[in-house]
Amino acid sequence: MDKKDKANYKIGVIPGDGTGPEVVREGLKVLEAVSQARNFSYSLTHFDFGGEHYLKTGEVLPDSVLEELKTLDAIYLGAIGHPDVKPGILERGILLKIRFALDQYINLRPIKLYPGVWTPIKDKGPQDIDFVVVRENTEGFYVGEGEFIDKDTEKEVALQVSRNTYKGVARCVKFAFEYARKRNKEKKLTLCGKTNVLTYAFDLWQRVFDKISNNYSDIKKDYAHVDAICMWMIKNPEWFDVIVTDNMFGDIITDLGAMIQGGMGIAAGANLNPEGVSMFEPIGGSAPKYTGKNVINPLAAISAVMMMLEHLGQREAAKMIEDSIIKVTSTKLKSLSAGKMGYTTQEVGDLVVKHLD
Ligand code: IPM
Ligand code: MN
């Protein structure tokens, strides 16, 4: 069933830490406005998990809540990470826990430069910077396998294992081929790996990629090492259409991607389980130093709402949001950076609502 046939979407909201709540507020404002314009309804369930909750109660994210999340149509997340909590506890305990438990095996991250947005790359514009990274989201180094040997001695060895399963790689690569076909731009899929050094992990990726590519003769297949990709994303971003890669490389190259599309203020991502419940988020993190100041850019969080609606089958509503974002970036904002937009966080949300049509 197309999710669009549902009268009422059940959306879980996890505002989370730092600036999460203030950008989520703007995203929800835009959601409310497009739902009226496009005539769909939804109900929100708020979940108050994050650093503050953990510091007060010692609780990170109980399994009962995971079960509840599994009954929703989508999850909208602000940011996870708190300066007073040791790194890893909240990231592993909330963000990665949801990605893994809900088997959100794709992390889809569009890198798209909108008109009027400043990019650090000289002589490149919106026609050059428009590609999508398909990041595997449940395996690799992120599984947390490893060990210390002789910890705290001079003989110490720390092992961290990257787990890549045939099943995990194949479903990700297949999704990427399908996505390249559906996107219908250059019809090109680039595998980003490191076959010259990581001769187990990326040997598997390469074999699976080659095998699956046999079913997609209409898609050009391409390979580049991750270091070269970093170079070309800056020098020739127009070469890319869809890039598929593992969890760790995907994490790294999408931060680079965020910078060339105008910064963390605009970068959004979708944690997809095409057969289950997906989660949508701005990728920039909790930005503690801007918390509560009403200066952070909410466009990434608003773009996450756009991706959520696209996923739910509300294509016209998603398109309305994107068109409005383009109007706002090209005619209003001075910059996409926190504190330099010429508007407050709330005003940017209002501008997006005002330019919806
Ligand atoms: C991201 C973030 C997370 C990741 C962290 C917070 C665990 O950097 O969504 O890219 O590494 O996946
Ligand atoms: Mn990241």
Side-chain angles (χ1 to χ4, degrees):
M1 185 188 74
D2 190 336
K3 296 202 179 84
K4 193 179 178 181
D5 299 335
K6 290 197 58 160
N8 192 33
Y9 302 113
K10 285 186 286 173
I11 299 172
V13 183
I14 309 176
D17 298 317
T19 51
E22 47 198 292
V23 295
V24 157
R25 204 175 299 129
E26 301 313 307
L28 293 177
K29 193 193 263 179
V30 173
L31 176 63
E32 174 62 30
V34 288
S35 74
Q36 283 169 16
R38 299 300 321 172
N39 249 313
F40 64 86
S41 60
Y42 59 92
S43 60
L44 301 178
T45 310
H46 276 84
F47 296 92
D48 180 29
F49 296 98
E52 295 299 331
H53 180 83
Y54 172 71
L55 291 170
K56 254 183 271 158
T57 65
E59 181 178 67
V60 185
L61 183 74
D63 288 343
S64 59
V65 173
L66 279 179
E67 291 312 308
E68 214 182 322
L69 294 176
K70 288 181 190 167
T71 68
L72 300 168
D73 293 306
I75 302 165
Y76 183 39
L77 175 87
I80 295 296
H82 193 291
D84 301 337
V85 180
K86 189 174 161 228
I89 294 179
L90 303 169
E91 292 85 346
R92 277 211 165 276
I94 301 178
L95 184 60
L96 300 185
K97 189 166 177 183
I98 297 174
R99 287 178 183 170
F100 281 57
L102 274 58
D103 206 19
Q104 295 166 338
Y105 60 88
I106 299 294
N107 197 327
L108 192 70
R109 296 188 164 183
I111 313 292
K112 184 168 179 177
L113 180 68
Y114 286 128
V117 175
W118 180 82
T119 175
I121 309 184
K122 193 167 172 283
D123 300 332
K124 298 287 177 190
Q127 69 286 359
D128 305 304
I129 301 175
D130 181 9
F131 58 94
V132 178
V133 176
V134 175
R135 163 185 174 189
E136 200 292 322
N137 210 30
T138 53
E139 300 195 331
F141 284 116
Y142 280 69
V143 293
E145 267 178 271
E147 64 174 313
F148 298 112
I149 301 166
D150 297 325
K151 192 170 182 191
D152 290 328
T153 73
E154 289 185 0
K155 290 192 295 180
E156 178 164 355
V157 180
L159 296 177
Q160 188 95 42
V161 175
S162 172
R163 171 176 288 269
N164 299 263
T165 66
Y166 180 89
K167 177 178 166 240
V169 174
R171 66 185 181 174
C172 178
V173 167
K174 185 159 181 291
F175 179 94
F177 271 108
E178 289 289 333
Y179 194 84
R181 182 179 275 170
K182 202 174 88 200
R183 181 168 147 91
N184 200 18
K185 197 182 171 228
E186 308 272 314
K187 290 206 168 184
K188 174 174 166 189
L189 179 63
T190 304
L191 172 63
C192 165
K194 189 73 187 171
T195 50
N196 53 351
V197 176
L198 304 180
T199 48
Y200 296 104
F202 283 100
D203 189 84
L204 173 63
W205 275 83
Q206 182 82 69
R207 279 182 283 118
V208 171
F209 185 80
D210 290 343
K211 181 167 173 213
I212 292 179
S213 74
N214 291 329
N215 303 327
Y216 295 88
S217 52
D218 54 325
I219 308 294
K220 286 185 257 347
K221 56 174 192 158
D222 176 39
Y223 172 85
H225 296 319
V226 62
D227 46 351
I229 292 245
C230 290
M231 198 167 76
W232 289 325
M233 275 175 67
I234 303 296
K235 193 165 175 284
N236 299 97
E238 69 280 3
W239 284 355
F240 299 112
D241 177 6
V242 181
I243 299 176
V244 64
T245 191
D246 83 342
N247 209 342
M248 187 80 260
F249 290 166
D251 178 47
I252 297 167
I253 68 171
T254 56
D255 267 24
L256 179 60
M259 290 304 115
I260 69 172
Q261 71 180 130
M264 285 303 181
I266 189 86
N271 301 272
L272 301 176
N273 176 341
E275 297 87 37
V277 183
S278 300
M279 176 165 72
F280 302 83
E281 52 171 345
I283 74 173
S286 59
K289 70 176 178 188
Y290 298 122
T291 301
K293 298 208 161 84
N294 202 18
V295 296
I296 194 90
N297 189 341
L299 287 179
I302 294 170
S303 298
V305 169
M306 170 182 85
M307 294 185 82
M308 177 166 77
L309 290 175
E310 175 87 46
H311 176 77
L312 291 171
Q314 294 290 339
R315 280 175 207 98
E316 298 87 356
K319 176 86 172 42
M320 275 177 83
I321 297 179
E322 183 164 54
D323 289 346
S324 175
I325 290 176
I326 291 173
K327 282 182 209 145
V328 171
T329 58
S330 55
T331 66
K332 298 284 171 191
L333 302 192
K334 286 207 244 116
S335 152
L336 296 196
S337 304
K340 298 184 184 144
M341 301 185 288
Y343 297 90
T344 64
T345 304
Q346 277 176 315
E347 285 168 343
V348 175
D350 292 340
L351 281 171
V352 174
V353 169
K354 194 173 141 207
H355 288 83
L356 291 168
D357 57 31

